């Protein structure tokens, strides 16, 4: 047996008195209600139980918008202007400006021109004033009684805020045969307690009261609570994966020298990525002093290979350039410094941090983004270990298909490009390799070092299914609220 609400009881009882269609007015009157929302809700409830049938028809109607209301009170703009011009025969454009608001004169003249009024040499003229008056009168008539079938509807639709087209739903209800059969006893209204108050609990009344049950199937608004930005959540997830795999996190400054960012990594000083148009060099600090011995070592390596078997790049390494301040272009600058400080201790280190490159902003580029960087240094570290580590990481992120392809970086040999399969396509996510002797030997590192650096935003685009990287940082609240919990 269906459980009724009191309004449903009242409405059904009323409808049992007369078979046939009921409109809203009739329901309100018979039930002694003046809130149509109660009638609509009760009607829906009864319809869900199959006791009444609802038919809805929607009709569109035209009503006045905010400007339309003004026009109704003060007259349409063209009408007021026309009256003014008629009663001031020599009215000029200047007079109009003086007698009408600034935002009215311009559009108003446009309207009059549309009606056949000419403006020449600052004076108004018109060949057929009766016709203008007649058309204006028709428009005024529309504003008084706007209707959907009036041919002026299109004209007013094109004007700002004069009219609004609204949709209204009209409903009728009809009792069904099962509605007719519901017994009187079921339709008796009962008082049920909806709010449990301290007063109620203090009295004894609650003991015999009937309580209104909660309808847990009703639609409710979504509770909004604070949550991490998806980028932050993603960083946390990556962080926990690396921690779980036995890595320690490195957090370092993004103001660096060209020496550490590039020279230490055997990037030649004439490499195109070092140019002003690719790298943000700093005015302050313009130069950061570096250890003389370090500069001398890099110079030797770059110019002739130093004590390694390498022949170097040749040419000259300028220590002034090495000491230039810049915003790091990759997080490899930090892992290499970590190794320089701890050249002999085996380690697994990662960083998820911000890097900067002079990129024009578009769907796939930002000048400021993040890299997921990591190194493994230990005796016997090798390419297989590097590839397995990266595959394991991406598998834990939910991307089991990973492949590597040969690539080139000045500081690694061999060098790899890492790709993951997403929606059937291979996407490049970063670079990796084993540091070259030109990088490790001057720093006193003896064991092989596996290293990688991958784009965080690229990965975020996969995880969140984005085709525009900018979405991550535009603070679109609606989008942010609807992101999955990562
Ligand atoms: N630093 C490289 C980049 O920014 C990535 C990389 C890191 C490549 C470590 C090899 C080794 O793209």
């Amino acid at each position: 047996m269906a459980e009724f609400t009191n309004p449903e009881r009242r409405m059904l009882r009323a409808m049992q008195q007369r078979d046939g269609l009921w409109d809203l007015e009739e329901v309100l009157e018979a039930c002694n209600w003046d809130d149509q929302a109660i009638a609509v809700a009760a009607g829906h409830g009864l319809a869900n139980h199959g006791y009444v049938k609802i038919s809805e028809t929607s009709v569109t109607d035209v009503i006045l918008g905010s400007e339309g209301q003004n026009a109704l009170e003060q007259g349409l703009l063209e009408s007021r202007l026309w009256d003014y011009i008629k009663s001031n025969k020599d009215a000029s454009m200047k007079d109009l400006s003086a007698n009408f608001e600034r935002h009215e004169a311009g559009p108003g003249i446009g309207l009059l021109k549309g009606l056949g009024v000419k403006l020449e040499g600052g004076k108004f003229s018109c060949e057929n004033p009766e016709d203008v008056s007649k058309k204006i009168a028709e428009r005024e008539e529309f504003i008084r009684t706007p209707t959907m079938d009036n041919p002026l509807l299109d004209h007013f639709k094109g004007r700002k805020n004069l009219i609004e087209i609204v949709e209204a739903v009209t409903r009728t209800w009809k009792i069904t045969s099962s509605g007719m059969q519901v017994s009187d006893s079921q339709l008796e209204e009962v008082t049920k307690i909806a709010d449990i108050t301290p007063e109620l609990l203090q009295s004894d009344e609650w003991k015999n009261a009937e309580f209104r049950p909660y309808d847990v199937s009703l639609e409710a608004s979504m509770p909004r609570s604070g949550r991490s930005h998806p980028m932050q959540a993603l960083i946390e997830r990556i962080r926990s994966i690396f921690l779980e795999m036995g890595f320690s996190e490195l957090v370092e400054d993004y103001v660096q020298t060209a020496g550490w960012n590039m020279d230490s990594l055997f990037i030649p000083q004439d490499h195109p990525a070092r140019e002003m148009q690719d790298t943000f060099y700093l005015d302050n600090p313009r130069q950061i002093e570096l250890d003389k011995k370090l500069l001398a070592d890099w110079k030797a390596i770059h110019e002739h290979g130093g004590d390694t078997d390498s022949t170097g790049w040749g040419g000259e390494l300028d220590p002034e350039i090495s000491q230039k301040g810049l915003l790091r272009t990759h997080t490899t600058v930090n892992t290499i410094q970590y190794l320089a400080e701890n050249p002999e201790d085996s380690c697994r280190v990662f960083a998820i941090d911000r890097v900067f490159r002079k990129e024009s902003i578009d769907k796939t580029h930002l000048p400021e983004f993040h890299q997921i960087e990591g190194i493994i240094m230990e005796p016997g570290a090798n390419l297989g270990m590097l590839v397995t580590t990266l595959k394991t990481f991406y598998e834990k992120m939910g991307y089991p298909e990973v492949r590597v392809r040969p690539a080139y970086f000045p500081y690694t040999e061999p060098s790899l490009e890492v790709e993951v399969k997403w929606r059937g396509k291979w996407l490049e996510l970063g670079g990796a390799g084993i540091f070259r002797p030109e990088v490790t030997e001057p720093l006193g590192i003896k064991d092989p070092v596996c290293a990688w650096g991958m784009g965080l935003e690229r990965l975020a685009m996969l995880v969140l299914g984005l085709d525009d990287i900018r979405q991550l940082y535009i603070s679109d609240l609606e989008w942010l609220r609807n992101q999955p919990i990562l």
Side-chain angles (χ1 to χ4, degrees):
M1 188 184 78
E3 179 71 36
F4 291 103
T5 64
N6 281 338
E8 287 167 6
R9 290 192 174 98
R10 194 183 294 191
M11 183 161 163
L12 193 58
R13 223 168 15 176
M15 293 179 74
Q16 284 181 341
Q17 310 307 310
R18 171 169 75 73
D19 201 358
L21 290 179
W22 289 67
D23 66 17
L24 182 66
E25 291 303 319
E26 290 166 328
V27 172
L28 290 179
E29 159 124 30
C31 295
N32 198 16
W33 289 327
D34 41 37
D35 183 353
Q36 55 166 300
I38 297 181
V40 172
H44 271 297
L46 290 172
N48 286 343
H49 295 313
Y51 297 135
V52 303
K53 265 206 147 70
I54 308 180
S55 24
E56 292 186 345
T57 38
S58 83
V59 285
T60 46
D61 199 6
V62 50
I63 58 168
L64 294 181
S66 55
E67 284 302 315
Q69 286 294 344
N70 288 344
L72 187 63
E73 284 155 28
Q74 299 163 15
L76 279 163
L77 176 57
E78 59 268 47
S79 160
R80 286 183 286 128
L81 278 171
W82 182 238
D83 286 348
Y84 180 85
I85 292 170
K86 278 194 299 187
S87 48
N88 298 276
K89 281 280 177 276
D90 293 322
S92 67
M93 178 69 199
K94 240 201 190 139
D95 300 326
L96 273 194
S97 308
N99 284 284
F100 287 85
E101 302 263 353
R102 203 192 308 164
H103 67 265
E104 291 186 326
I109 287 166
L111 286 165
L112 287 181
K113 279 189 175 170
L115 289 164
V117 178
K118 291 202 183 90
L119 175 63
E120 273 160 354
K123 297 272 177 216
F124 294 96
S125 64
C126 178
E127 273 168 21
N128 193 345
E130 288 74 33
D131 185 49
V132 177
S133 296
K134 181 169 154 271
K135 282 184 184 150
I136 289 180
E138 284 166 4
R139 290 185 188 177
E140 293 267 307
E141 176 54 29
F142 180 93
I143 291 295
R144 277 191 295 277
T145 47
T147 56
M148 288 297 287
D149 56 1
N150 190 317
L152 283 173
L153 185 73
D154 278 337
H155 165 82
F156 282 107
K157 266 191 194 165
R159 291 173 65 172
K160 211 169 160 196
N161 298 337
L162 274 166
I163 57 167
E164 275 175 45
I165 308 289
V166 289
E167 203 175 328
V169 180
T170 50
R171 293 185 186 80
T172 52
W173 295 269
K174 186 176 177 343
I175 191 160
T176 62
S177 53
S178 53
M180 278 298 195
Q181 281 156 28
V182 179
S183 68
D184 281 359
S185 63
Q186 272 180 271
L187 296 183
E188 219 159 283
E189 290 183 42
V190 284
T191 331
K192 286 193 179 175
I193 293 174
D195 291 321
I196 301 176
T197 59
E199 291 76 20
L200 176 74
L201 293 177
Q202 277 157 20
S203 74
D204 273 343
E205 275 170 47
W206 61 270
K207 287 187 181 158
N208 300 318
E210 270 196 65
F211 291 96
R212 202 180 77 193
Y214 283 111
D215 183 351
V216 290
S217 64
L218 284 181
E219 239 180 76
S221 60
M222 187 70 169
R224 300 281 189 209
S225 56
R227 52 180 294 186
S228 297
H229 189 284
M231 283 308 279
Q232 193 54 44
L234 182 63
I235 290 175
E236 293 299 342
R237 193 166 142 204
I238 295 169
R239 184 172 278 148
S240 58
I241 291 177
F242 278 114
L243 291 173
E244 189 177 290
M245 287 165 70
F247 284 76
S248 318
E249 187 170 4
L250 184 67
V251 182
E252 276 299 339
D253 203 346
Y254 47 71
V255 172
Q256 295 290 344
T257 53
W260 279 112
N261 195 81
M262 291 124 171
D263 298 337
S264 76
L265 292 164
F266 200 51
I267 301 174
Q269 281 197 336
D270 58 4
H271 194 284
R274 291 199 180 218
E275 300 293 322
M276 291 284 280
Q277 60 268 24
D278 290 306
T279 299
F280 290 106
Y281 288 96
L282 297 170
D283 281 340
N284 183 15
R286 190 177 283 277
Q287 295 286 119
I288 302 173
E289 216 180 303
L290 286 172
D291 181 66
K292 294 272 173 310
K293 156 110 178 38
L294 203 56
L295 288 171
D297 286 348
W298 290 338
K299 191 171 171 64
I301 287 281
H302 279 248
E303 292 178 4
H304 52 76
D307 298 334
T308 68
D309 292 337
S310 168
T311 54
W313 293 112
E316 256 190 62
L317 187 110
D318 180 350
E320 287 301 304
I321 292 182
S322 305
Q323 297 182 91
K324 273 195 190 176
L326 49 70
L327 294 178
R328 70 176 164 218
T329 62
H330 53 180
T331 37
T332 319
V333 64
N334 298 113
T335 41
I336 195 62
Q337 282 175 89
Y338 176 87
L339 290 173
E341 280 162 29
N342 306 278
E344 285 170 3
D345 311 328
S346 295
C347 68
R348 290 172 170 231
V349 173
F350 77 100
I352 308 168
D353 230 330
R354 235 182 307 171
V355 298
F356 306 82
R357 290 181 197 173
K358 258 194 191 167
E359 303 270 14
S360 319
I361 297 179
D362 64 25
K363 271 166 90 112
T364 50
H365 294 93
L366 293 172
E368 196 180 318
F369 57 100
H370 293 76
Q371 286 188 326
I372 311 165
E373 185 89 18
I375 44 168
I376 301 176
M377 175 174 75
E378 62 189 46
N382 57 40
L383 200 64
M385 186 183 233
L386 173 62
V387 174
T388 308
T389 305
L390 295 174
K391 281 197 169 163
T392 309
F393 167 71
Y394 282 115
E395 194 168 305
K396 283 174 185 274
M397 284 302 303
Y399 301 95
E401 288 191 75
V402 181
R403 73 174 183 192
V404 294
R405 313 214 294 165
Y408 172 76
F409 300 101
Y411 36 100
T412 47
E413 181 60 38
S415 303
L416 311 172
E417 216 169 68
V418 187
E419 297 184 329
V420 301
K421 200 167 204 177
W422 184 65
R423 297 189 182 163
K425 273 198 293 193
W426 289 104
L427 295 176
E428 200 228 299
L429 288 187
I434 297 188
F435 278 146
R436 296 176 71 99
E438 289 92 333
V439 174
T440 51
E441 282 188 27
L443 302 175
I445 299 162
K446 302 266 175 327
D447 292 326
V449 182
C450 301
W452 63 87
M454 292 170 299
L456 173 68
E457 281 77 1
R458 284 276 173 89
L459 182 60
M461 288 171 77
L462 301 198
V463 173
L464 302 171
L466 297 180
D467 59 8
D468 192 329
I469 199 167
R470 293 168 288 199
Q471 184 69 37
L472 295 170
Y473 295 112
I474 57 172
S475 302
D476 171 348
L477 278 186
E478 202 43 42
W479 178 80
L480 287 170
R481 281 181 182 141
N482 292 322
Q483 287 318 292
I485 307 257
L486 294 179

